[in-house]
């Protein structure tokens, strides 16, 4: 695993450390939405910032920045995680999915379609995180109960919908793939 | 976030060796330790973003999850939990749910799915208090961050603060849930460091604030938690975690109780009680256990247990409600645990 991260030489003093940090001295290789890539980042760089600022994938949102709201949800090796509380260095050798990776060439993902059909989107800010939390759930548990759905999205805040339509949309996809 | 040097370790021995190359003072505030181990990062990176923790070096220990220390081993004798096991893995493990339910419940109720997928159980027990004065560096007074500077919570807004185990120096609440479950099941913690391996009763890991609130645990600088062990005790199966909070998800406990009972009919043969949300450390309520051991769990015994648990409580301006809430939380948890089918 260490081969995925190239480490800079240990800085001798604080000013040298600052220079090393600014120099984006880590090269991190991972698979993003099915495609292998390498990015050069500072050790302090958060995955959410690499996705948004470095790679232009702005579907991943940052709202609270403290792991509470879920707008920064990404899927890491099949599991929903918070990209705002994760160093980019930590995804070396792993597989990351963001909302941009869900749609196929001609069709959007069934969960995305269900959110549209059900009216589960209002302002839209929580939507990418909600959809990714739902995808992680359905990939592992294709026939979730209403409680399973509520539990899976309980780490994603929505201030518009009251959640009812979101739960309905996820339930609809689960039933449709039967 | 302030810059730091990043390294990775694939074994506990390698991690300890990396950490050991930086001199660390044993009486330094835990937030000021210049080397920090990074597992899930859900607490450490949060603390670094708000500038409370400022490590020079971060040793990423996630690769240790590929070893035995990322796993869960269950046998007839009990359970061994690697410190790099994720909260979700432990919470969703069928044997854990069935044989050690208080463990699974405490982890499920502790955080959202995304955080449970990330956070290691070793890191979980070391999570820092949510005291808002500790977390906000614009308050100069915090004996945990800066020994001798005072405590802004004492005269501040202290609704969420502790009523048990407080001192004149600190009233910050221990925020976690899993730790109380470990105490209820007499867990031990395995530790490795520059001077070798050791283990201790988990209940001994955290230190009450007294006049050194910056010394939060008995871990020496550079020591690493590698595992937890839990014996298959008779009260493990009849165990429960009850958490009371302001809202039902992603919120810390106002009061919680981890309860484990060994029953002989309706007589309590053996009891374990640990309280959360009300104390400065994961709190074993030994006096409450004593009140119900060998007794029928009737209203009188429940009231005596609740009374004993909070007999030494000390309240502050905004948190007097925690005594009544804590007592009710404990009696409800005891009732529900006694009623469990096992």
């Amino acid at each position: 695993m260490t081969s995925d991260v190239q480490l800079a030489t240990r800085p001798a003093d604080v000013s040298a450390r600052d220079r090393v940090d600014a120099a984006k001295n880590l090269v991190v290789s991972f698979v993003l939405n099915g495609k292998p890539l390498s990015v050069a980042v500072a050790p302090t760089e958060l995955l959410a910032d690499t996705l948004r600022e470095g790679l232009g994938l702005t579907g991943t949102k940052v709202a609270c920045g403290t792991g509470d709201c879920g707008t920064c949800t990404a899927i890491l090796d099949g599991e929903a995680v918070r990209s705002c509380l994760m160093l980019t260095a930590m995804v070396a050798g792993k597989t990351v999915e963001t909302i941009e990776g869900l749609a196929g060439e001609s069709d959007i993902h069934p969960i995305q379609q269900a959110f549209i059909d059900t009216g589960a989107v209002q302002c839209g800010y929580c939507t990418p995180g909600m959809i990714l939390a739902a995808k992680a759930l359905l990939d592992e548990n294709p026939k979730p109960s209403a409680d399973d759905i509520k539990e899976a999205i309980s780490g994603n805040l929505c201030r518009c919908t009251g959640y009812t339509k979101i739960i309905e949309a996820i339930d609809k996809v689960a039933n449709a793939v039967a | 976030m302030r810059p730091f040097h990043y390294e990775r370790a694939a074994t506990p021995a390698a991690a300890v060796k990396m950490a050991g190359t930086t001199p660390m003072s044993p009486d330094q505030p835990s937030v000021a330790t210049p080397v920090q181990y990074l597992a899930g990062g859900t607490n450490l990176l949060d603390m670094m973003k708000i500038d409370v923790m400022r490590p020079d070096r971060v040793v990423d220990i996630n690769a240790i999850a590929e070893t035995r220390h990322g796993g869960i081993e269950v046998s007839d004798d009990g359970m061994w939990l690697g410190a790099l096991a994720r909260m979700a893995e432990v919470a969703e493990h069928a044997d854990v749910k069935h044989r050690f339910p208080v463990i699974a419940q405490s982890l499920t109720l502790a955080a959202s799915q995304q955080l449970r997928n990330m956070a290691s159980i070793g890191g979980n027990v070391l999570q820092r208090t949510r005291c808002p004065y500790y977390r906000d560096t614009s308050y100069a007074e915090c004996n945990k961050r800066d020994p001798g500077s005072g405590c802004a919570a004492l005269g501040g807004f202290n609704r969420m603060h502790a009523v048990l185990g407080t001192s004149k120096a600190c009233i910050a609440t221990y925020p976690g849930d899993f730790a109380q479950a470990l105490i209820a099941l007499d867990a031990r913690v395995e530790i490795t460091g520059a001077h070798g391996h050791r283990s201790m009763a988990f209940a001994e890991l955290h230190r009450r604030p007294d006049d050194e609130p910056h010394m939060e645990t008995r871990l020496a600088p550079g020591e690493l938690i590698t595992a937890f062990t839990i014996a298959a005790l008779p009260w493990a199966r009849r165990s429960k975690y009850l958490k009371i909070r302001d809202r039902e998800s992603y919120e810390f406990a106002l009061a919680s109780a981890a309860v484990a009972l060994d029953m002989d009919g309706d007589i309590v043969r053996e009891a374990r009680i640990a309280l959360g949300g009300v104390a400065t450390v994961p709190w074993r309520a030994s006096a409450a256990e004593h009140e119900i051991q060998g007794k029928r769990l009737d209203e009188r015994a429940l009231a005596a247990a609740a009374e004993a648990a909070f007999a030494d409580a000390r309240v502050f301006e905004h948190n007097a409600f925690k005594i009544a809430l804590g007592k009710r939380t404990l009696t409800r948890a005891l009732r529900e645990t006694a009623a469990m089918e096992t």
Side-chain angles (χ1 to χ4, degrees):
Chain A
M1 276 195 101
T2 44
S3 63
D4 296 314
V5 179
Q6 296 165 17
L7 296 174
T9 50
R10 176 104 188 272
D13 57 52
V14 172
S15 60
R17 191 183 70 216
D18 288 343
R19 281 199 304 278
V20 168
D21 178 75
K24 298 199 170 199
N25 64 327
L26 291 180
V27 175
V28 181
S29 300
F30 60 107
V31 175
L32 177 62
N33 296 328
K35 290 181 188 128
L37 84 166
S38 297
V39 291
V41 297
T44 51
E45 189 160 318
L46 299 164
L47 179 60
D49 294 331
T50 301
L51 294 171
R52 288 179 55 83
E53 311 295 333
L55 300 166
L57 298 178
T58 55
T60 301
K61 310 296 183 194
V62 178
C64 73
T66 55
D68 292 309
C69 77
T71 60
C72 70
T73 298
I75 298 180
L76 179 69
D77 284 352
E79 293 185 328
V81 295
R82 308 284 202 210
S83 63
C84 80
L85 284 183
M86 177 169 277
L87 299 177
T88 303
M90 292 163 73
V91 306
K94 296 182 184 291
T95 298
V96 178
E97 289 172 82
T98 67
I99 193 70
E100 289 86 355
L102 258 63
E105 281 182 18
S106 51
D107 291 316
I108 60 172
H109 191 277
I111 302 174
Q112 293 173 310
Q113 190 61 51
F115 269 61
I116 296 170
D117 295 346
T118 314
V121 180
Q122 288 187 29
C123 88
Y125 206 80
C126 75
T127 308
M130 284 288 183
I131 289 175
L132 289 167
K135 182 173 188 292
L137 168 71
L138 296 181
D139 285 350
E140 194 180 299
N141 176 9
K143 302 300 278 180
S145 67
D147 282 346
D148 293 337
I149 296 172
K150 285 182 193 169
E151 175 55 37
I153 62 164
S154 71
N156 294 73
L157 276 175
C158 172
R159 300 290 81 181
C160 305
T161 66
Y163 303 99
T164 307
K165 293 292 181 188
I166 293 171
I167 294 163
E168 210 178 299
I170 299 167
D171 187 49
K172 193 171 170 175
V173 182
N175 289 326
V177 294
Chain B
M1 203 185 294
R2 295 181 191 227
F4 53 83
H5 185 76
Y6 175 85
E7 292 154 279
R8 296 184 120 203
T11 63
V16 165
K17 201 172 165 192
M18 277 181 198
T21 58
T22 292
M24 287 182 274
S25 154
D27 55 358
Q28 207 158 24
S30 61
V31 291
T33 308
V35 184
Q36 294 289 338
Y37 294 120
L38 171 70
T42 56
N43 193 220
L44 176 62
L45 295 176
D46 180 35
M47 298 295 293
M48 287 166 66
K49 284 165 97 170
I50 61 177
D51 204 31
V52 173
M53 294 180 72
R54 306 164 181 178
D56 295 319
R57 294 172 58 208
V58 169
V59 177
D60 181 340
I61 57 170
N62 283 291
I64 299 175
E66 307 297 322
T67 72
R68 179 179 178 228
H69 293 278
I72 301 164
E73 297 170 14
V74 185
S75 71
D76 290 345
D77 297 333
M79 178 162 69
W80 183 92
L81 299 170
L84 268 292
R86 306 294 157 177
M87 291 170 73
E89 288 164 351
V90 181
E92 292 161 18
H93 193 284
D95 288 330
V96 179
K97 285 204 270 193
H98 181 61
R99 293 177 54 190
F100 309 92
V102 67
I103 296 285
Q105 290 162 10
S106 70
L107 290 165
T108 301
L109 292 169
S112 66
Q113 182 72 49
Q114 286 98 324
L115 292 176
R116 295 199 302 271
N117 287 340
M118 299 165 74
S120 71
I121 58 169
N124 175 276
V125 301
L126 299 178
Q127 67 182 302
R128 284 2 199 241
T129 180
R130 309 303 291 190
C131 172
Y133 303 102
Y134 167 76
R135 289 175 57 86
D136 185 341
T137 56
S138 62
Y139 287 92
E141 291 178 306
C142 176
N143 290 321
K144 237 187 217 312
R145 269 193 278 115
D146 184 12
S149 62
C151 172
L154 277 171
F157 182 63
N158 44 40
R159 176 175 179 268
M160 301 297 287
H161 288 74
V163 297
L164 293 169
T166 60
S167 73
K168 284 178 183 156
C170 185
I171 61 171
T173 307
Y174 175 77
D177 301 291
F178 175 55
Q180 283 75 256
L182 290 172
I183 289 178
L185 299 187
D186 290 358
R188 293 187 68 79
V189 56
E190 294 181 0
I191 295 159
T192 191
H195 304 294
H197 307 293
R198 64 188 181 118
S199 77
M200 67 169 98
F202 178 77
E204 302 296 313
L205 179 68
H206 290 85
R207 294 167 51 141
R208 294 191 193 185
D210 298 323
D211 49 9
E212 290 182 327
H214 60 287
M215 304 290 283
E216 298 189 309
T217 70
R218 292 191 166 78
L219 292 175
E223 279 193 315
L224 180 68
I225 294 177
T226 54
F228 303 96
T229 52
I230 301 171
L233 297 165
W235 53 88
R237 201 178 287 251
R238 186 184 291 279
S239 65
K240 182 181 179 72
Y241 189 70
L242 177 65
K243 180 175 182 181
I244 305 297
R245 42 191 164 170
D246 280 326
R247 58 181 178 209
E248 264 302 293
S249 59
Y250 46 92
E251 184 54 278
F252 293 86
L254 290 169
S256 73
V259 169
L261 297 175
D262 180 23
M263 304 289 290
D264 179 8
D266 54 0
I267 306 289
V268 177
R269 200 182 282 135
E270 192 77 41
R272 290 289 181 278
I273 298 169
L275 302 175
V278 293
T280 52
V281 292
W283 189 262
R284 181 162 178 190
S286 306
E289 294 169 4
H290 184 72
E291 287 296 331
I292 56 173
Q293 244 139 232
K295 293 189 185 149
R296 197 175 304 277
L297 205 56
D298 54 16
E299 291 305 313
R300 199 159 141 200
L302 288 169
E307 207 54 47
F310 288 89
D312 297 330
R314 178 156 183 253
V315 300
F316 301 90
E317 191 177 353
H318 309 104
N319 70 354
F321 76 101
K322 283 200 173 184
I323 292 185
L325 185 68
K327 286 179 180 175
R328 287 176 189 155
T329 303
L330 173 56
T331 51
R332 184 176 141 197
L334 284 168
R335 270 199 201 95
E336 291 180 4
T337 308
M340 278 173 70
E341 284 181 50
T342 58

